[in-house]
Amino acid sequence: MGYKANDLRLTVIAIKIVRCLILFMLLSYFSLVFAADRLDISSTVKPSILLTPYLSILEDASQQLTLAEIQQENLASRYKENFPPNEAINFLFGSSAYWLRLSIENNSDLFIDKVIELNHPLLKNVDFYWQINQKVQQTIHTGYAQPYENRAYQSNIFAFPLRVPAHSQNIIYIRIATPNVMYIEANLWEPLAFQKKELNSYAFQAFYFGVALIIFLFSLGLAAFTKELNNFIYLAIIFFSIFSYLAYRGLGAEYLWPNVIWLTQKGLLIFGSYYFVSQLWFVCRILNTQQVIPKFDLVAKGLMAMSFITPFLVLLNFRFAILANVLFVINAFYLAILLGIAVINKQRNAYFLSLSFSLLFIGIIARELHVFGYIPSSFYISNSLQFGSLFELIVLTFFLTDRYRLIAQDKRLSDERLKESQYKLTAEIEAHRLTTSYQIALQASEEKLRSILELSPDGIGMTTLDGIITFVSAKASAMWGYSKAEFIGLHVFEVLDISAHETLSKAIAELLKGHHLGVIEHDCIRKDGSHFICEVNCSLIVDIENKPVSVLYIQRDVTERVKVSKELELAKKTAEQANQAKSVFVSQMNHELRTPLNIVLGYAELLQDDDTLDANQLDFVQEILKGGQYLLELVNQRLDMAYIESGQVVLSIHRENISSLIDECICLASPLARKTAVSLRYQAKHEIVTNCDRIKLKQLLVNLISNAIKYNFKNGRVDISVELNDNNTYTIHVVDSGIGMTSEQLAKIFEPFMRLGVSADIEGTGLGLSICKELVELMGGSIGVKSELGVGSHFWLNLPLLIDNHEQIEHPISSSSTDQLPETSRAYQVLYIDDNAINLELIQQMANTFSHVHLSTLQDPTQAINQALLQRPNIILLDINMPDMDGFEVLAALKADEQLKSIPVIALTANAMMDDVKRGLATGFSDYLSKPVNRAQLIQRMDKVLGLGA
């Protein structure tokens, strides 16, 4: 009875406990319903809240209900509420729209910021309505069918920021309509937590697609190298996998195809279908299902065909999306079946494939369980598909790389075995041949060799190692004049000049040491005693044991070639001597012409300033200056031609602005243009900066522009333009409206001393264009012309565009007038040393016109040095060609004296050759002036040395 009483008491206690549990569950249920009725965001501190339990959902089958209609009392009963706390709500495919209602209250005294998230990018239309205290606060219309800019939060998913007022009642309506799977995962986030979550999500996507791209590029290189179909199929797997996830994650719509609605809607189904086609094809080829399991292979091909066609059906009608999703599932399970069968059959490749697909299958299962609410949300679960995909790509890449390594290794081993077998077989055949028919084969080989040697165009001979001739070809017999019978048995020294004996002996010794010899020339003796030069190439002939037995000589008579070579060498030497003599002559003539020209032009220039001359006398002086300048121009241009012909012209390359250079040339030619009433126009089609020789190019352009002005009509025009070409060149055009040329004149226009001869009044030497042509070609360019008589001429320069980013642009220094003397009251002492009294008098007259210069002159260099010690001049002007002591010796004496070495010395000489100028500046002259010199040039150079002018 005691036990029964105790049992009864225990039963009553159990009943009470059960009642309490039932009451607690009911309270929990009703509290959940109450919670579903309204969410108080002021009472939670969680970074995110799952909104599924708080949502009320109304299905709109007609997709026609408005916001006002869904708030009417008669529709209140159609709202579904109290959803279980799953992670998401999944309505699969359907044609209905869905209205989500969420009630939020803020019972605090402050504004609260929140973010509502719909974590599914494939929602076509999302309409967001926010009411505060029954008044509409905000309306947003978004979705992938709307412009991307409509999104309240710039993200691949849909997010809506809220600022909930204090003590407010808020109702949020969200209308969702999409032809895709209706998957709703709604969360309420703290703003900072949401931003962190978004940052992590985008960082993972960047990591995934970055690794996938690296794998794609590596696999592309492997496929291009191996040219194996399996590797190209694997490339397709990577490609469609990447684009499937771009579509699935909404990143394609965000970055690659924004506002392309059909691709966002159908992209996942299209790319996913071809992903499974590529995957099935790849697995079937790797596992060789056609041979191992042919029936399963037929099913796989059928699935591939259906999956291949499905995207076209989806493009025609989206109702086939269900078929595409079904095929996804079937393909995945069928892949698992094929791999399972291959593993059972113990196929090595199946283990790699099973490993690669295992995590992907796990990801697929985890994602589906999460979608249906069986697994809570987390970063790894949300991205499980991509984790699996990345693992699959990495393992398959290693698998293909290892597979290629094994194939290459097997091929190498097979090649080595084949070579070893071939070597053994060859050795056995060779041994057999040597033991059975060595002598016969050797004799036949010798006869064959002799036949081949007889056909050679060169003479062939063989001797023993001691030098006894054993064989000569018919060509060799004819070369020496001996018959074959006479040749055989002779010693090789008997047919060589005694001077060649030692050379041949050393050559044979070097061959026996294993050294390779080149061609040797010997002085040989014919039977008739005549000598000829023979080019000989020697080599050893070895026996079967690789021991030398004979010496082979290949001979060629090169007497004529040696003769011609010597004649060419003599002709070259003669030409060089003639060229040197011409250079000396040009140099001397240049010096001899410049000395009197200096006097003529100098005194003529002084006469210009003589106020006592009448108009006729001034005209005479002008004619003297004109003739002198013409002669000087002729001397200078002939000197340029001499430099070009002797190859002494060196380009000084710097970076230049072509437009600025042309502006300078136009400035130089403007006085001539104004004199002849010719207008100059310049049009720069392109701004060109290039590396060039500024002085040479300026010389070219001034010549062309001056010619265009001189051979023009009064009130004519000259157009200059520059343009950039596609082949890294640029072209400068000079077009005039002048007299033009005939075809006969055009044919000879670039020849030296060629002038049009239209008028004696047009000055010129006829050397300008020939020099232009040579200089342009030296610069790596070309010059061209076309002309029509009476219409005008068009010259152009086509030059290479050379750019060096490390060189600085050198801005041209504008020349300033030297007629204006520097403002100074000091009289600078200048000493001029020259053995020619007339030159001294000329420079003295020029110096008298300079208010700040006092000039002293001396003819004797020794006296001049003593005078310099006494006078201590500021500048010394020094001639170079003096009889007893030339200018270089005087300069050395000046520089050797401690008191005089700091005085600047300017060379004033008729030596104007380029080598003379270089030598003078290198020796220590501060400046170098070539006669004839004018006053402006003289005072400019002296002022520059004195530091008075630019």
Side-chain angles (χ1 to χ4, degrees):
M1 290 294 291
Y3 288 108
K4 289 182 179 180
N6 289 334
D7 290 341
L8 182 60
R9 283 196 299 271
L10 289 173
T11 301
V12 172
I13 292 171
I15 291 172
K16 291 181 178 179
I17 292 172
V18 169
R19 286 177 177 174
C20 291
L21 288 173
I22 292 172
L23 179 62
F24 177 76
M25 291 175 64
L26 289 172
L27 290 173
S28 298
Y29 174 77
F30 286 111
S31 66
L32 180 63
V33 173
F34 177 76
D37 189 33
R38 191 171 299 279
L39 171 63
D40 184 3
I41 59 174
S42 61
S43 62
T44 178
V45 293
K46 293 181 180 179
S48 66
I49 302 172
L50 177 66
L51 294 178
T52 303
Y54 302 96
L55 291 176
S56 300
I57 298 178
L58 171 66
E59 181 177 3
D60 179 9
S62 65
Q63 296 194 18
Q64 300 297 320
L65 293 178
T66 64
L67 176 65
E69 291 172 343
I70 64 167
Q71 297 181 80
Q72 295 177 1
E73 292 295 331
N74 59 338
L75 292 179
S77 60
R78 290 174 54 185
Y79 277 94
K80 296 180 179 179
E81 297 180 342
N82 304 324
F83 290 97
N86 293 337
E87 287 296 313
I89 301 170
N90 195 339
F91 293 115
L92 299 179
F93 290 97
S95 59
S96 297
Y98 291 88
W99 287 84
L100 280 61
R101 184 176 64 192
L102 174 65
S103 297
I104 297 176
E105 62 182 17
N106 178 11
N107 294 320
S108 69
D109 297 329
L110 301 172
F111 280 95
I112 297 179
D113 291 319
K114 294 290 184 179
V115 178
I116 294 179
E117 173 200 31
L118 296 181
N119 192 14
H120 184 53
L122 299 182
L123 300 176
K124 186 173 183 179
N125 290 292
V126 179
D127 299 312
F128 176 84
Y129 304 95
W130 178 16
Q131 293 181 345
I132 301 177
N133 299 326
Q134 297 182 351
K135 294 181 180 179
V136 175
Q137 175 71 15
Q138 186 178 18
T139 301
I140 299 173
H141 301 287
T142 184
Y144 69 73
Q146 302 296 326
Y148 194 81
E149 295 75 14
N150 284 18
R151 303 194 181 194
Y153 196 96
Q154 300 301 303
S155 174
N156 59 317
I157 50 92
F158 302 100
F160 306 95
L162 303 176
R163 167 160 278 199
V164 183
H167 303 290
S168 63
Q169 305 293 324
N170 301 263
I171 299 179
I172 295 170
Y173 292 94
I174 302 176
R175 180 186 180 275
I176 302 175
T178 183
N180 301 80
V181 171
M182 181 69 74
Y183 168 68
I184 303 171
E185 181 180 347
N187 297 285
L188 186 68
W189 287 88
E190 292 288 339
L192 290 178
F194 177 73
Q195 292 174 7
K196 182 178 179 181
K197 173 254 183 188
E198 282 288 279
L199 183 63
N200 291 338
S201 175
Y202 276 95
F204 173 75
Q205 299 304 324
F207 169 75
Y208 171 80
F209 290 110
V211 173
L213 180 60
I214 292 172
I215 293 174
F216 180 83
L217 294 176
F218 173 79
S219 302
L220 180 62
L222 184 64
F225 181 75
T226 60
K227 296 180 177 59
E228 187 179 6
L229 179 58
N230 290 337
N231 290 325
F232 286 103
I233 298 173
Y234 179 56
L235 281 176
I237 293 176
I238 302 173
F239 177 83
F240 290 118
S241 176
I242 290 174
F243 275 84
S244 295
Y245 287 111
L246 284 172
Y248 174 66
R249 288 295 185 183
L251 297 173
E254 184 176 2
Y255 295 111
L256 299 182
W257 55 80
N259 303 323
V260 181
I261 299 173
W262 69 268
L263 189 55
T264 303
Q265 176 183 342
K266 304 172 182 180
L268 175 61
L269 302 177
I270 295 171
F271 296 128
S273 296
Y274 290 127
Y275 166 75
F276 278 108
V277 171
S278 306
Q279 205 171 50
L280 266 176
W281 191 11
F282 178 78
V283 169
C284 289
R285 285 183 59 84
I286 294 296
L287 298 180
N288 194 19
T289 56
Q290 189 173 4
Q291 300 293 329
V292 179
I293 44 176
K295 292 182 179 180
F296 285 88
D297 183 74
L298 287 175
V299 176
K301 288 178 179 177
L303 287 174
M304 283 188 279
M306 292 178 65
S307 298
F308 186 84
I309 296 171
T310 300
F312 295 99
L313 299 176
V314 171
L315 287 172
L316 291 174
N317 194 325
F318 196 71
R319 293 180 180 179
F320 289 99
I322 297 175
L323 173 62
N325 279 272
V326 171
L327 284 174
F328 285 177
V329 176
I330 295 174
N331 284 326
F333 279 103
Y334 198 73
L335 274 172
I337 292 171
L338 290 178
L339 291 174
I341 295 172
V343 169
I344 293 172
N345 292 337
K346 297 182 178 180
Q347 286 184 255
R348 182 178 181 275
N349 293 338
Y351 300 125
F352 280 100
L353 296 177
S354 299
L355 177 64
S356 66
F357 294 136
S358 60
L359 195 59
L360 179 61
F361 288 145
I362 293 173
I364 293 172
I365 294 171
R367 180 61 183 169
E368 294 304 316
L369 291 175
H370 166 63
V371 167
F372 288 99
Y374 297 106
I375 297 178
S377 177
S378 70
F379 174 79
Y380 299 102
I381 294 300
S382 299
N383 297 289
S384 58
L385 280 176
Q386 287 175 271
F387 276 116
S389 172
L390 199 59
F391 181 76
E392 172 200 12
L393 295 180
I394 293 172
V395 173
L396 285 181
T397 302
F398 278 114
F399 163 67
L400 289 175
T401 306
D402 182 66
R403 185 170 178 269
Y404 167 72
R405 182 187 61 81
L406 292 176
I407 292 173
Q409 183 179 355
D410 291 342
K411 185 178 182 301
R412 186 174 63 254
L413 292 175
S414 299
D415 291 342
E416 289 175 356
R417 293 191 191 99
L418 179 60
K419 288 180 181 179
E420 184 178 357
S421 300
Q422 290 175 341
Y423 176 77
K424 290 180 179 179
L425 180 61
T426 302
E428 291 174 0
I429 293 173
E430 184 66 17
H432 179 70
R433 183 185 67 80
L434 290 175
T435 54
T436 56
S437 57
Y438 175 73
Q439 294 297 331
I440 297 173
L442 181 60
Q443 184 178 0
S445 176
E446 289 179 353
E447 291 296 328
K448 185 177 181 180
L449 177 60
R450 290 175 186 272
S451 300
I452 294 172
L453 295 179
E454 288 289 353
L455 296 174
S456 172
D458 296 322
I460 307 294
M462 284 191 293
T463 70
T464 64
L465 298 180
D466 296 331
I468 304 301
I469 299 172
T470 58
F471 169 79
V472 289
S473 66
K475 182 72 175 178
S477 297
M479 192 183 301
W480 259 267
Y482 291 93
S483 67
K484 287 189 177 184
E486 291 173 330
F487 241 132
I488 303 301
L490 291 177
H491 195 279
V492 69
F493 285 169
E494 297 181 54
V495 295
L496 294 178
D497 186 79
I498 191 170
S499 62
H501 292 182
E502 184 179 356
T503 304
L504 182 62
S505 298
K506 290 182 179 180
I508 301 300
E510 290 296 318
L511 282 175
L512 292 174
K513 291 179 183 178
H515 297 161
H516 176 72
L517 300 179
V519 176
I520 304 172
E521 290 185 358
H522 293 300
D523 187 359
C524 302
I525 306 173
R526 295 189 180 93
K527 183 180 179 181
D528 60 7
S530 61
H531 287 248
F532 69 99
I533 305 299
C534 186
E535 189 179 77
V536 180
N537 199 340
C538 307
S539 61
L540 291 176
I541 298 176
V542 298
D543 60 10
I544 191 67
E545 297 178 357
N546 205 31
K547 293 180 179 180
V549 293
S550 302
V551 181
L552 177 69
Y553 298 86
I554 302 175
Q555 310 137 27
R556 179 176 296 174
D557 186 351
V558 294
T559 306
E560 285 300 319
R561 190 183 73 185
V562 171
K563 180 181 177 182
V564 172
S565 177
K566 289 181 178 179
E567 291 175 352
L568 289 174
E569 185 68 27
L570 180 60
K572 179 182 177 184
K573 187 175 181 182
T574 303
E576 289 175 349
Q577 291 174 348
N579 190 48
Q580 181 66 26
K582 185 182 73 172
S583 297
V584 171
F585 173 75
V586 170
S587 178
Q588 291 175 348
M589 287 301 297
N590 175 64
H591 179 271
E592 296 303 325
L593 287 171
R594 284 179 181 273
T595 300
L597 272 175
N598 183 49
I599 297 169
V600 172
L601 291 174
Y603 278 109
E605 187 179 3
L606 290 172
L607 285 173
Q608 274 187 311
D609 298 333
D610 192 343
D611 298 334
T612 63
L613 298 181
D614 57 26
N616 289 332
Q617 290 171 333
L618 286 174
D619 289 340
F620 296 155
V621 172
Q622 289 297 328
E623 291 300 322
I624 294 171
L625 283 171
K626 186 185 298 183
Q629 291 293 346
Y630 173 77
L631 184 56
L632 178 60
E633 181 182 0
L634 183 61
V635 171
N636 287 334
Q637 291 192 352
R638 190 61 193 88
L639 189 59
D640 287 342
M641 287 296 294
Y643 282 137
I644 294 171
E645 290 170 356
S646 61
Q648 296 180 13
V649 178
V650 178
L651 297 179
S652 178
I653 304 299
H654 297 281
R655 198 168 186 189
E656 301 292 344
N657 187 304
I658 300 301
S659 294
S660 299
L661 193 145
I662 293 175
D663 288 336
E664 291 181 30
C665 296
I666 292 174
C667 183
L668 290 174
S670 292
L672 179 61
R674 287 193 296 270
K675 182 179 178 182
T676 56
V678 174
S679 63
L680 295 178
R681 297 190 302 184
Y682 169 48
Q683 179 183 6
K685 297 181 180 178
H686 299 90
E687 187 71 16
I688 298 174
V689 178
T690 182
N691 291 335
C692 66
D693 188 318
R694 177 186 185 82
I695 296 175
K696 300 291 189 302
L697 184 54
K698 194 172 178 180
Q699 180 182 353
L700 289 172
L701 292 176
V702 169
N703 193 300
L704 292 180
I705 296 171
S706 298
N707 283 348
I709 296 171
K710 288 189 292 185
Y711 292 97
N712 213 321
F713 298 112
K714 187 175 182 180
N715 298 320
R717 72 175 188 277
V718 177
D719 294 320
I720 303 128
S721 62
V722 60
E723 62 180 347
L724 187 64
N725 305 321
D726 294 335
N727 57 349
N728 282 334
T729 63
Y730 64 98
T731 303
I732 302 174
H733 301 270
V734 179
V735 183
D736 65 69
S737 61
I739 60 177
M741 290 178 280
T742 64
S743 57
E744 291 79 8
Q745 290 171 329
L746 276 176
K748 299 178 181 180
I749 192 64
F750 294 113
E751 295 180 5
F753 302 104
M754 172 61 192
R755 298 191 64 209
L756 296 183
V758 295
S759 173
D761 295 333
I762 299 178
E763 299 177 356
T765 64
L767 286 171
L769 287 178
S770 61
I771 293 174
C772 287
K773 182 175 184 296
E774 297 291 342
L775 288 178
V776 168
E777 292 175 353
L778 184 65
M779 294 177 182
S782 62
I783 185 171
V785 59
K786 58 184 179 180
S787 181
E788 185 177 349
L789 190 63
V791 176
S793 301
H794 174 191
F795 284 83
W796 64 86
L797 301 177
N798 190 268
L799 296 167
L801 185 66
L802 305 174
I803 298 175
D804 183 358
N805 292 330
H806 300 290
E807 292 192 5
Q808 299 296 323
I809 297 178
E810 295 194 357
H811 297 286
I813 300 174
S814 59
S815 59
S816 60
S817 173
T818 57
D819 292 333
Q820 183 179 358
L821 297 178
E823 293 183 4
T824 176
S825 60
R826 176 181 176 184
Y828 290 92
Q829 300 297 319
V830 180
L831 177 62
Y832 178 30
I833 307 169
D834 195 322
D835 63 314
N836 190 312
I838 299 177
N839 284 338
L840 293 176
E841 178 62 26
L842 173 63
I843 299 302
Q844 182 68 66
Q845 292 298 325
M846 288 186 178
N848 289 340
T849 64
F850 306 150
S851 62
H852 66 301
V853 171
H854 181 268
L855 181 72
S856 302
T857 63
L858 281 172
Q859 288 182 268
D860 184 79
T862 304
Q863 293 179 6
I865 294 173
N866 294 328
Q867 178 66 24
L869 286 169
L870 294 174
Q871 181 184 353
R872 302 286 179 85
N874 300 103
I875 301 176
I876 296 175
L877 303 177
L878 180 59
D879 185 27
I880 290 179
N881 288 326
M882 294 184 291
D884 298 327
M885 188 177 186
D886 67 23
F888 292 109
E889 293 172 329
V890 175
L891 180 67
L894 293 172
K895 295 299 182 183
D897 191 285
E898 287 294 329
Q899 300 179 28
L900 302 178
K901 66 179 182 179
S902 60
I903 299 175
V905 182
I906 299 176
L908 185 57
T909 174
N911 295 348
M913 301 290 284
M914 186 182 298
D915 291 339
D916 298 328
V917 178
K918 289 182 179 177
R919 181 189 175 192
L921 294 175
T923 304
F925 281 105
S926 299
D927 206 338
Y928 196 100
L929 277 172
S930 300
K931 298 176 183 176
V933 63
N934 56 51
R935 285 184 301 167
Q937 186 181 20
L938 178 61
I939 192 62
Q940 181 192 33
R941 298 296 183 90
M942 287 196 298
D943 286 348
K944 181 180 179 183
V945 171
L946 291 171
L948 301 178

